[in-house]
Amino acid sequence: MRLAILAHEKFPDRAKTAVGLLRYTDHEVVAVLDRDHAGDRVRDHIEDVQDAPVVAGIDDVPDIDAFVVGIAPIGGGFDETWRDDVTGALERGAEVWSGLHYHLADDEAFAALADEHDTRLWDVRDPPEDLTVAEGVARDLDATVVTTVGSDCSTGKMTATCELVEAARERGWSAGVVPTGQTGIMIEGWGLPIDRTISDFTAGAVERMLVERAEEYDYLFVEGQGAITHPAYSAVTCGILHGSMPDALVYCHEAGREAVHGYESFSLPDVGAHASLYENLAEPVSPTSVVAGSLNTSKLSEEDARKAVDEFGEALDEPATDAVRFGCEEILDAL
Amino acid sequence: MRLAILAHEKFPDRAKTAVGLLRYTDHEVVAVLDRDHAGDRVRDHIEDVQDAPVVAGIDDVPDIDAFVVGIAPIGGGFDETWRDDVTGALERGAEVWSGLHYHLADDEAFAALADEHDTRLWDVRDPPEDLTVAEGVARDLDATVVTTVGSDCSTGKMTATCELVEAARERGWSAGVVPTGQTGIMIEGWGLPIDRTISDFTAGAVERMLVERAEEYDYLFVEGQGAITHPAYSAVTCGILHGSMPDALVYCHEAGREAVHGYESFSLPDVGAHASLYENLAEPVSPTSVVAGSLNTSKLSEEDARKAVDEFGEALDEPATDAVRFGCEEILDAL
């Protein structure tokens, strides 16, 4: 499919979904919409991803199959300055994918246009109605389940998960991603938004995805969310940990981060102790262990990054890497 | 208010909400509906609660202000054999309270009747739309926060919470319940169904209740749910633990239970180790400790119960009691 990604005024640093898609989607990105950077190319801003033109609006976008809302304002609402772009995409018959809390399918104008042009509005953060509680069966699946966990939100769990699957496939392993958040779901084209499920069904939703995919793959890499000690999001993390009943954990951290992002009065625990806490919390449900770590070193020089990864590995007492910068071989070897 | 409670074919052993209301509500229960036991009295089946006649249907119920659905079939659907009872209650102008997954307010016939008779359908498991993520502020509140935790579901956390508040008030303490489940919400007349919130908002919903009530009370007792090592429900428990940021924990267990209820292939952890795991999981967010335990000994003789409580206290290495059978003084002393 040919995609255009809306990222007005936020590309690339505040456009996590846009950048995730540019890096990992199998689809072709033919344009990024950012009126502040119209005329640039993606590669003017970010390396190691698909290149595409940056354009001001839908009129400058070539033929597309899907139009993606690749940013979210605080609160997850719909910015009315995007309406012409979404309308234009629907009028061309393109699908529109969105991870906003505001569901485009509930917008009467968009719903009518999608109907008229026989195309799809895909609200990826709208979980299905028929989710249920976990049955506790993920430990019995044939596939080897690896779940990414971490010290905090935005430490690179989705990125590490995607890198691991790419590297595993290069080794010839049968490996798949189990996406749990909006960006991962858009990259993979399926998945459940675990942060939007009813809290009672958190583990059950993860379990359902694993059961669905376990026969297809030998290795399933579950995209983690948050942290089990996050003051706001720990419920989601705990549900993923117990719902996935992983055979192994990969611990993700960002170099230099010492406090919870957005909750700066909460210090992050020591990574070694934190990794043990994940193991201890998992143990009564399904024993597992942290087998490796991935450190996001994107803000460091190459030399400092190597040093930080070494220190991180010593603190974890496990093999470590930066999955994006230095590859995933240490982690795959540890599995 | 004068209440009637529907519990057809399930009173008392499979009617947790009905029994909880009979034991703890400040309202007057004037009838329990159970067509299998019509003609009995509540006290024929259960001691230490309000007495009331057991009747076959709404026509045998005296004047009421509210009609409560006090049972839930597996799946939480509405049993059509109850329709005449609910209809009769609405036609009298009574409120109808329900904890079913099936929302009575979405039933067109019930909604029309409630409208016609100017009364309220209260679906207690329907959380408000405006919940948000936690801000991480519960640790800064003036009130002393005590959260009940436990080895499993149905170990007596709601019961212990209600008993603690009653006993604290008898001591002259300013104490309130923070209800997190349907029965507690019906008993207290307010609260948020934490198991039905969006998973991202689990901790935030608990925090909101504490912020609302902290100025009113010196002690807030938070009704816990599930267990942090429950294969299906741990997300809810983890959100309550971190959202409430408690000053103290009270650990609840049922005598003789060795496996997770309904998930019998999962053994329960040793209670001492489990209590430590709660403390370790809470610590990076807001340090706390298990200060006492309550053991549900309802299936044991008095002598066996005393012995079981002693052993439980030794395993926890903290003061212990059965909050219903032997009172809460040990727990309040430990606070």
Side-chain angles (χ1 to χ4, degrees):
Chain A
M1 291 175 75
R2 292 162 57 88
L3 311 185
I5 308 176
L6 181 148
H8 283 312
E9 297 153 14
K10 294 194 175 169
F11 187 77
D13 291 342
R14 290 174 296 149
K16 190 172 159 184
T17 297
V19 172
L21 279 165
L22 285 162
R23 179 165 282 138
Y24 298 112
T25 185
D26 292 333
H27 302 302
E28 182 188 359
V29 179
V30 298
V32 168
L33 285 73
D34 185 343
R35 48 194 163 226
D36 284 357
H37 296 109
D40 293 357
R41 307 269 318 166
V42 164
R43 287 274 180 82
D44 296 335
H45 297 276
I46 184 167
E47 295 174 11
D48 300 329
V49 301
Q50 284 193 50
D51 199 15
V54 180
V55 303
I58 189 71
D59 293 341
D60 301 323
V61 171
D63 277 354
I64 51 171
D65 301 298
F67 182 88
V68 183
V69 179
I71 50 176
I74 290 169
F78 182 79
D79 185 327
E80 284 298 328
T81 70
W82 308 340
R83 185 166 291 273
D84 288 348
D85 295 322
V86 173
T87 299
L90 290 169
E91 284 173 348
R92 296 179 181 198
E95 296 189 357
V96 176
W97 305 350
S98 164
L100 299 174
H101 289 200
Y102 178 82
H103 293 160
L104 300 189
D106 294 338
D107 183 297
E108 288 184 18
F110 293 150
L113 274 173
D115 197 45
E116 180 184 339
H117 295 277
D118 194 22
T119 188
R120 178 173 75 138
L121 293 169
W122 184 29
D123 289 300
V124 302
R125 288 182 98 172
D126 189 17
E129 297 278 330
D130 63 344
L131 296 177
T132 59
V133 299
E135 292 178 30
V137 299
R139 61 181 178 178
D140 303 324
L141 299 173
D142 264 345
T144 297
V145 176
V146 181
T147 299
T148 50
V149 296
S151 57
D152 194 2
C153 294
S154 300
T155 56
K157 290 180 287 288
M158 185 206 76
T159 306
T161 305
C162 291
E163 294 286 341
L164 279 163
V165 169
E166 285 192 356
R169 288 177 177 171
E170 278 168 24
R171 285 191 178 196
W173 298 7
S174 157
V177 173
V178 176
T180 60
Q182 58 174 319
T183 305
I185 293 169
M186 286 185 188
I187 291 168
E188 296 297 318
W190 73 287
L192 294 169
I194 299 301
D195 56 350
R196 312 304 299 171
T197 63
I198 286 174
S199 55
D200 244 5
F201 304 156
T202 311
V206 177
E207 180 185 85
R208 177 199 281 206
M209 289 193 283
L210 289 166
V211 168
E212 277 178 14
R213 300 286 157 146
E215 293 198 2
E216 191 176 340
Y217 295 107
D218 295 334
Y219 289 85
L220 288 169
F221 291 85
V222 180
E223 176 198 1
Q225 299 286 343
I228 51 167
T229 53
H230 192 286
Y233 304 127
S234 64
V236 175
T237 318
C238 193
I240 293 173
L241 181 70
H242 288 140
S244 64
M245 299 186 178
D247 297 285
L249 302 172
V250 174
Y251 187 93
C252 302
H253 180 52
E254 184 183 36
R257 194 181 303 187
E258 295 180 350
V260 178
H261 179 68
Y263 296 78
E264 312 299 335
S265 65
F266 294 84
S267 299
L268 292 184
D270 165 81
V271 297
H274 205 218
S276 297
L277 185 56
Y278 274 100
E279 295 171 352
N280 293 339
L281 183 60
E283 200 274 334
V285 177
S286 187
T288 188
S289 58
V290 173
V291 300
S294 179
L295 187 71
N296 177 350
T297 65
S298 56
K299 294 176 185 161
L300 301 183
S301 69
E302 171 96 10
E303 187 185 339
D304 287 348
R306 294 270 178 204
K307 195 174 151 203
V309 165
D310 287 346
E311 287 171 1
F312 174 61
E314 280 167 31
L316 269 186
D317 200 20
E318 297 295 345
T321 184
D322 176 332
V324 174
R325 194 166 196 166
F326 304 130
C328 295
E329 298 310 311
E330 291 88 345
I331 301 176
L332 294 181
D333 290 344
L335 293 172
Chain B
M1 292 175 74
R2 291 161 59 86
L3 310 184
I5 308 176
L6 181 148
H8 283 312
E9 297 154 14
K10 295 196 172 166
F11 188 78
D13 291 342
R14 290 175 295 147
K16 190 173 157 183
T17 296
V19 172
L21 278 167
L22 285 162
R23 181 165 280 138
Y24 297 112
T25 184
D26 291 333
H27 301 303
E28 184 187 358
V29 179
V30 299
V32 168
L33 285 74
D34 185 343
R35 50 195 162 223
D36 284 356
H37 295 109
D40 293 359
R41 307 270 315 168
V42 164
R43 287 274 180 82
D44 297 335
H45 298 275
I46 184 166
E47 296 174 9
D48 302 328
V49 301
Q50 285 193 48
D51 198 16
V54 180
V55 302
I58 189 71
D59 294 340
D60 300 323
V61 170
D63 277 353
I64 51 170
D65 301 297
F67 182 88
V68 182
V69 178
I71 51 177
I74 291 169
F78 183 80
D79 184 327
E80 285 297 327
T81 69
W82 307 340
R83 185 166 290 273
D84 288 348
D85 294 322
V86 173
T87 298
L90 290 169
E91 285 173 348
R92 294 177 179 200
E95 295 188 359
V96 176
W97 305 351
S98 165
L100 298 174
H101 289 199
Y102 178 83
H103 293 160
L104 300 189
D106 293 338
D107 184 295
E108 288 183 18
F110 293 150
L113 275 173
D115 197 44
E116 179 184 342
H117 295 278
D118 193 24
T119 189
R120 179 174 74 137
L121 292 169
W122 184 28
D123 289 300
V124 302
R125 288 182 97 173
D126 188 16
E129 297 278 331
D130 63 343
L131 296 177
T132 59
V133 299
E135 294 179 27
V137 298
R139 63 181 177 177
D140 303 324
L141 299 173
D142 264 346
T144 297
V145 175
V146 181
T147 299
T148 50
V149 295
S151 58
D152 193 1
C153 293
S154 301
T155 55
K157 290 180 286 289
M158 186 207 76
T159 305
T161 305
C162 291
E163 294 285 341
L164 279 163
V165 169
E166 285 192 357
R169 287 177 176 170
E170 278 169 22
R171 284 191 178 194
W173 298 7
S174 157
V177 173
V178 175
T180 60
Q182 58 173 320
T183 305
I185 293 169
M186 286 186 189
I187 291 168
E188 296 297 317
W190 72 286
L192 294 170
I194 299 301
D195 56 350
R196 311 304 297 168
T197 63
I198 286 174
S199 56
D200 244 5
F201 303 156
T202 311
V206 176
E207 179 184 86
R208 177 200 281 207
M209 288 193 284
L210 288 166
V211 169
E212 278 178 12
R213 299 287 156 147
E215 292 198 2
E216 191 176 341
Y217 295 107
D218 295 334
Y219 289 85
L220 288 169
F221 291 84
V222 180
E223 177 197 1
Q225 299 286 342
I228 52 168
T229 53
H230 192 286
Y233 304 127
S234 63
V236 176
T237 318
C238 193
I240 293 174
L241 181 69
H242 289 141
S244 64
M245 300 188 176
D247 297 285
L249 302 171
V250 174
Y251 187 93
C252 302
H253 180 53
E254 184 183 37
R257 194 181 304 187
E258 293 180 352
V260 178
H261 179 68
Y263 296 78
E264 313 298 336
S265 66
F266 295 84
S267 300
L268 293 185
D270 165 80
V271 297
H274 205 220
S276 297
L277 185 56
Y278 274 100
E279 295 171 350
N280 294 340
L281 184 59
E283 199 273 333
V285 178
S286 187
T288 188
S289 57
V290 172
V291 300
S294 180
L295 187 70
N296 177 349
T297 65
S298 57
K299 294 175 185 159
L300 301 183
S301 69
E302 171 97 10
E303 186 185 339
D304 287 348
R306 294 269 179 203
K307 194 174 153 204
V309 165
D310 286 346
E311 287 171 1
F312 174 61
E314 279 166 30
L316 270 186
D317 199 22
E318 297 294 345
T321 184
D322 177 332
V324 173
R325 196 167 194 168
F326 303 131
C328 295
E329 299 309 311
E330 291 87 346
I331 301 176
L332 294 181
D333 291 344
L335 294 172

